[in-house]
Every structure is written in structure tokens, then in C-alpha cells.
Amino acid sequence: MPLTQSVTLITGATLVVSGDGRYFSKDAIQMGREVLDSPSRFGAGNSYHLHSVTLNIVLEDKSTSCCQNSLLLFFNSTTFIIITKMAAGNGVRRIWVGQNGLLSTPAVSAAIRERVGLDGSKATGAFILTASHNPGGPNEDFGIKYNMENGGPAPEGITDKIYENTKTIKEYLTADLPDVDITAIGVTSFCGPEGYFDVEVFDPASDYVKLMKSIFDFESIQKLLSSPKFTFCYDALHGVAGAYAKRIFVEELGAQESSLLNCVPKEDFGGGHPDPNLTYAKELVARMGLGKSNSEVEPPEFGAAADGDADRNMILGKRFFVTPSDSVAIIAANAVEAIPYFSAGLKGVARSMPTSAALDVVAKNLNLKFFEVPTGWKFFGNLMDAGLCSVCGEESFGTGSDHIREKDGIWAVLAWLSILAYKNIENLDGGKLVTVEDIVRNHWAAYGRHYYTRYDYENVDAGAAKELMACLVKLQSSLAEVNEIISGIKSDVSKVVHADEFEYKDPVDGSISKHQGIRYLFEDGSRLIFRLSGTGSEGATIRLYIEQYEKDPSKIGRDSQDALAPLVAVALGLSKMEEFTGRSAPTVIT
């Protein structure tokens, strides 16, 4: 079919930098989330603006080579059509899209790195259209993210250029194309003045499943799942993970289909909030025996949940919650023995700054390289590209390894199932099953316990949130004043010995990231962290992280809320949280 190129003047450019929520703000773009808000709020024409500035930057130095490569798209019907037409207009040679438009963020990263097209082509990068772990639908969040040739989020050098281009762009290139049927696997070709342009639809699961089978021992996991002693439950929260769950857990590993919850992907996530935590994964939490009401039904031994784009995960045992910070530490501590991919050893480990220091202790004991980075997966990607990091994680339910350059929720579930299979290799035919809770408590006994919680105050007035953070920074100039305030709140809490705004110098490229969170570090190893988050489209989210390390084996079994209560009181009093926000309680406690 012939292509006709057209040029149209851009209007409404200021909307992209209006700061109306993360999808138009510079801060969100800096976080590697090149996004715009819902077309229903601002008009579908704005989609052209952001796609154009991104394509202009991405193709800036690749006008020739890009025509021989591909872009991957995570589907949204309207935006897919827009990007397809603009890609053709900008000289892109071909587009790959998952059948029915479904690709998880981890699968996109894997496809960039691993997939070879029918003609031998490799991907240049990807637009991922995702609501991430936020609500989706006509009046909810919608986002666009660009990933690079290494499979990871665009670095600041690219996102800075995208932002600057939004100030000056006056036109965009597009092509007149008919709609493409993405329900059928195959290639649709068009012919025009720039040469051939193809849209290739492929099976979204095959490449990803192949990668997972190269990492894990599926046979040992299958034995675990087939044991009458072991029961399993997985909740996709109506996100894209549902497109992979049946294929991997049921067809490949032999789990019962009844063990899958909410595994039909829906554009609005079934009206729910696809964030895998104890607040929003209510059905799974109840099934695992952690709900408010007691059930006579015996909970499964293992449960897990995913977020909307399947890069986050939550791990649960029977009536037992595994914190994300403990999860990555336990995976790292057991990876070499339990996961074939790591049998030769770990190159190093890394965590985001707000994540608890449980991984630090594992790294020290196992003599591993360790890195503490700002929040944002691109920082892990730099370390992985340099061969410095094998396993990494963040407290916000993200865990992953160097098999791709994104966090990977299903990978984390398979890692836990691998550890359970390894620990129970002699127990499936007889003997007591080693449970999720057993593994966690044994880990605490060996490495100590990091009592940890996160308070999220969502959709707080942005001005009030900034005032609160500014007040905390000002307080840091006098630790004597800080400790006087603390002693007035709780006299038995340790003294603050250091306070700062976290700053990171990347050991790979030397780049410096400033203002990454406000830290109060205590003499006994406790920490209070305050951050503003840009992952919602309305107001601001204040995240408060509270951590206390306990090495005494006689004290590692305390209730987490009881153990952390004094520090919680200190954090709320020191920050004047209620005074600034008007909130007497957080939106979510993790």
C-alpha cells in the first residue's frame, strides 16, 4: 500500500510541560517515564507532540541505521495508530507489536535484547504504553515510556533532549496508513517514497518463556508445583501478566488453572488498582490468610501478585508477608545454589537507596560488590551493562537481574519457586515442607532482621508536600536540634548521627544525581527516609521509609508494627506530617 507523507503544525505544546501530574512534568520525564496524560483530558492531538519529539531525538543520529531496525510497541489502540504513522513518516523501517497488543514491560526489554525478526532484524528501541502500577481507564493514568537498545529506560541524556525539544518543536512527520490487524501473527507491508515499512505481529509469550527456561530449572519447579504438599496462587490484578501466567505456570509448570486469579488482562484493570501490595491485592491477601476476616479454608503455601505491566511483584507465604527488601536479599543469598543462571557466581548486587539494608548484609557476608543507587531502574542498567551487578531490587516491589534491563515480576516469582524447590528437594516425597516463612526466618537468624515499613501519602497538595520536604532539609543543618526534637517525642530512640540529601555518582559514566531523598541515619543503624514520588497523575505522593536493624536473635520475632512504633512516632513528629498535609493517616502502609 502506498504511503503519503504529510506535515502538520503542532499546537498546544505547553501542555507537555504543564506540570499537570507526572505525565506532563519534567520530573516524570527525568525518571525515564516519557509520558502524557489521558487523551480524554487533553485531546488526542497531544499524543503526536510527545511521540514526535521522542522520535526526533531517538532518530537524530540514526537516520540510516534505524531504517534497518525496529521499534517495539506495548499496545494502546489510539496511540498505537499514532506511533505507527509517525514512525513511518520518520523513516522507521518496521514495527514489532505483540499479538493483540500485549507485551509486558519485562518482555519488551527481553525482545529488544534477544528477539531476531523474520528478516534477521534487531530492535533499536521501544515505546511502551503502560499505566504501570497506577489505575487505568478513560479517566485514569496512561503513560508512554521509551526504552533504548540495551532494553532499559532512556537515560537522562536522552530524556533531557526530549524535554528541551518540547519547547521548540513546530511540526511533525506522519504517514497516511490504513489500520493494521494486530490480532493475527504475521507481517503487513507497505510501500512508499521511503521504501518498505512493515508491521510485524508476534507471539508475546514465546520469546519470554524461552528466556525464563534458560534461567531457571523448570523441571525442579514443576516437581514442586505437582506435589500435593505444595499449593500455589498467582494474581495478575487484570494486568498484562495474565497473558503470561497461564502459559508459564499452567502449561509449562503444571499448576492448576484454578490457582490463577484475575488473569484476564483488562484495559482498566477491572476497575482496580494494579499495585501488588497488601492494600490493593485484596483478593490474594484474603486467600493467603492475611485478610481481616478469618477463613476456614486453608491458605496456599505460596502466593504472588503482579502490577499492571508485570514488572513488579509481591511474594506471600501462608499467612506471611515477605517485604520486597527481604525478598531481594533472600534471592541474592540463595541464587547461586538454587538458580542455574547464577551457578558461576554473582557479579555484584545493588538496591535503591530507600530499600532496606538487608541486601547490604548479604553482600558483606558473601563478599559481593554492592551498590546503593537512586530510585530508577536505569541506574541498575548502567551497572549491569558494565558487568558489575547480577541481582538488584527496590522496596517498591521491584526485583530483577541482568537477564534484561527492567525489573521483572514473573522472574521474581520463578526465583522464589526455585528457592523453595531447592530447599525441598528431599521433602516432597516425605518430611516437613520448608515454607516461605521458614526461609525468611532462617534468613533473619543468619543475617539479622531489618524491620521495615513504608507510609505513602498519595495525592497530597504539591505545594504542601514541597514545604514539608524543605523543612526537613533545613532541619539537617543542626543535628543537635534534630536530636532534641526526637528526645521530646521518644526518649528511648537512638540519636541521629548523619543527615543529608542522597547524592549518587555513577561508577560507570561518572554522572551525578542530586536530591534523591532526605535521609536521617541513626547511631544504631536505623534510618528515616523521605521522598517525593512522581508516579501518580494528580497531586504529589510523599513516601516515608522507616527501618530498624536487629541482630539479636531473641528480638527478630517481634511484630513489625510494635518494633517500629517508636521510629514511626519520631518520623511523623519530626516531619510535622499531619500539620503540612492535613492527613492523620497514610493512604497505604506497606
Side-chain angles (χ1 to χ4, degrees):
M1 299 178 185
L3 296 177
T4 302
Q5 192 176 68
S6 60
V7 178
T8 306
L9 290 178
I10 288 287
T11 58
T14 56
L15 284 176
V16 179
V17 292
S18 70
D20 186 11
R22 77 172 173 108
Y23 294 132
F24 279 101
S25 72
K26 181 183 177 184
D27 288 344
I29 290 176
Q30 291 282 21
M31 290 298 292
R33 302 181 178 95
E34 296 74 63
V35 290
L36 72 157
D37 209 6
S38 169
S40 64
R41 293 187 200 168
F42 296 98
N46 292 314
S47 301
Y48 289 94
H49 185 187
L50 194 62
H51 302 326
S52 184
V53 296
T54 305
L55 279 167
N56 287 349
I57 296 303
V58 170
L59 303 182
E60 188 176 53
D61 299 318
K62 297 185 178 182
S63 56
T64 301
S65 62
C66 187
C67 291
Q68 304 304 318
N69 289 294
S70 310
L71 290 173
L72 287 159
L73 301 178
F74 177 55
F75 174 69
N76 168 278
S77 57
T78 302
T79 311
F80 171 74
I81 294 169
I82 292 171
I83 296 178
T84 300
K85 292 179 178 181
M86 294 187 69
N90 279 272
V92 171
R93 175 64 179 83
R94 65 183 62 77
I95 280 179
W96 295 343
V97 59
Q99 187 179 21
N100 297 312
L102 295 177
L103 281 174
S104 70
T105 292
V108 171
S109 184
I112 296 172
R113 295 173 60 81
E114 305 288 340
R115 189 171 191 275
V116 178
L118 297 176
D119 57 358
S121 58
K122 292 280 290 181
T124 300
F127 284 101
I128 308 175
L129 314 183
T130 169
S132 186
H133 58 297
N134 296 305
N139 298 307
E140 298 292 354
D141 292 341
F142 171 72
I144 302 171
K145 175 178 174 181
Y146 187 78
N147 277 31
M148 304 294 286
E149 287 174 292
N150 72 341
E156 290 185 6
I158 295 294
T159 56
D160 281 342
K161 288 183 179 180
I162 292 171
Y163 171 64
E164 291 301 321
N165 226 22
T166 64
K167 300 177 180 179
T168 59
I169 187 170
K170 290 182 172 61
E171 61 182 18
Y172 63 85
L173 300 176
T174 186
D176 295 328
L177 294 177
D179 293 350
V180 177
D181 179 12
I182 61 169
T183 65
I185 292 174
V187 179
T188 303
S189 297
F190 305 91
C191 184
E194 297 295 324
Y196 285 100
F197 173 73
D198 299 332
V199 177
E200 181 180 339
V201 180
F202 66 99
D203 179 1
S206 293
D207 294 330
Y208 182 77
V209 172
K210 181 180 178 182
L211 179 60
M212 293 300 103
K213 293 177 79 170
S214 73
I215 295 171
F216 301 103
D217 182 349
F218 267 42
E219 184 178 349
S220 68
I221 298 174
Q222 187 178 43
K223 289 179 181 178
L224 176 72
L225 291 179
S226 64
S227 170
K229 290 184 173 184
F230 189 82
T231 43
F232 167 85
C233 186
Y234 183 79
D235 189 348
L237 295 176
H238 287 303
V240 73
Y244 300 84
K246 183 177 178 181
R247 179 76 169 269
I248 292 175
F249 298 123
V250 176
E251 296 177 12
E252 292 286 345
L253 295 173
Q256 297 296 315
E257 193 163 354
S258 59
S259 65
L260 304 183
L261 296 176
N262 305 313
C263 281
V264 177
K266 296 184 178 181
E267 290 182 342
D268 64 350
F269 307 116
H273 191 147
D275 196 352
N277 58 44
L278 295 173
T279 299
Y280 295 124
K282 296 177 181 177
E283 188 173 351
L284 176 68
V285 168
R287 183 174 287 200
M288 296 302 298
L290 290 167
K292 294 181 179 179
S293 59
N294 295 322
S295 172
E296 295 181 2
V297 179
E298 187 69 8
E301 290 292 341
F302 179 87
D307 71 333
D309 63 336
D311 61 353
R312 285 174 166 83
N313 73 95
M314 177 171 67
I315 303 297
L316 301 175
K318 182 187 295 185
R319 303 185 184 91
F320 191 84
F321 169 64
V322 182
T323 70
S325 297
D326 279 341
S327 181
V328 66
I330 290 168
I331 290 173
N334 292 277
V336 173
E337 293 178 324
I339 302 173
Y341 181 81
F342 300 116
S343 60
L346 301 181
K347 301 166 188 174
V349 295
R351 64 165 174 84
S352 65
M353 182 273 290
T355 304
S356 92
L359 186 61
D360 311 34
V361 181
V362 171
K364 183 177 180 180
N365 277 266
L366 300 183
N367 196 28
L368 297 171
K369 293 177 182 175
F370 169 77
F371 302 91
E372 181 183 31
V373 306
T375 298
W377 212 260
K378 61 192 173 188
F379 298 104
F380 295 132
N382 262 11
L383 296 172
M384 290 173 179
D385 285 345
L388 297 174
C389 178
S390 295
V391 173
C392 57
E394 55 189 17
E395 50 70 38
S396 54
F397 296 89
T399 324
S401 86
D402 59 355
H403 67 291
I404 57 172
R405 296 299 181 266
E406 289 279 7
K407 47 186 171 281
D408 191 343
I410 290 178
W411 174 92
V413 174
L414 292 172
W416 265 93
L417 291 174
S418 296
I419 293 169
L420 283 160
Y422 176 77
K423 298 289 187 183
N424 286 290
I425 196 168
E426 304 293 338
N427 300 330
L428 296 180
D429 296 325
K432 182 182 179 297
L433 192 75
V434 176
T435 67
V436 170
E437 183 174 355
D438 292 335
I439 290 171
V440 175
R441 292 193 181 279
N442 289 338
H443 183 88
W444 292 341
Y447 296 99
R449 180 178 181 181
H450 293 258
Y451 289 100
Y452 185 88
T453 191
R454 187 181 94 185
Y455 281 24
D456 289 0
Y457 295 82
E458 298 176 353
N459 296 328
V460 172
D461 177 79
K466 289 179 181 178
E467 288 181 19
L468 181 149
M469 299 297 281
C471 181
L472 286 169
V473 171
K474 185 178 179 180
L475 265 179
Q476 293 182 337
S477 62
S478 174
L479 292 188
E481 182 182 351
V482 168
N483 285 315
E484 184 177 347
I485 294 172
I486 290 173
S487 63
I489 300 170
K490 287 288 181 180
S491 59
D492 57 343
V493 169
S494 179
K495 290 184 177 180
V496 171
V497 292
H498 182 78
D500 64 10
E501 283 193 89
F502 182 63
E503 181 176 303
Y504 176 70
K505 182 175 181 180
D506 195 301
V508 178
D509 61 21
S511 62
I512 297 175
S513 301
K514 298 182 178 181
H515 309 297
Q516 295 298 312
I518 297 169
R519 303 191 301 176
Y520 286 86
L521 310 181
F522 292 74
E523 192 172 30
D524 64 355
S526 299
R527 298 192 308 163
L528 295 179
I529 310 293
F530 299 85
R531 286 184 62 249
L532 285 183
S533 175
T535 57
S537 60
E538 296 179 359
T541 295
I542 299 172
R543 301 201 195 280
L544 164 60
Y545 310 85
I546 303 164
E547 174 185 0
Q548 180 175 320
Y549 180 50
E550 182 57 70
K551 293 186 292 184
D552 186 342
S554 67
K555 296 180 180 180
I556 61 174
R558 297 179 64 193
D559 177 81
S560 183
Q561 291 185 350
D562 291 341
L564 290 170
L567 274 178
V568 169
V570 165
L572 298 180
L574 188 67
S575 63
K576 300 179 181 178
M577 185 68 72
E578 185 169 359
E579 179 179 328
F580 278 108
T581 67
R583 305 285 182 86
S584 59
T587 312
V588 178
I589 298 177
T590 303

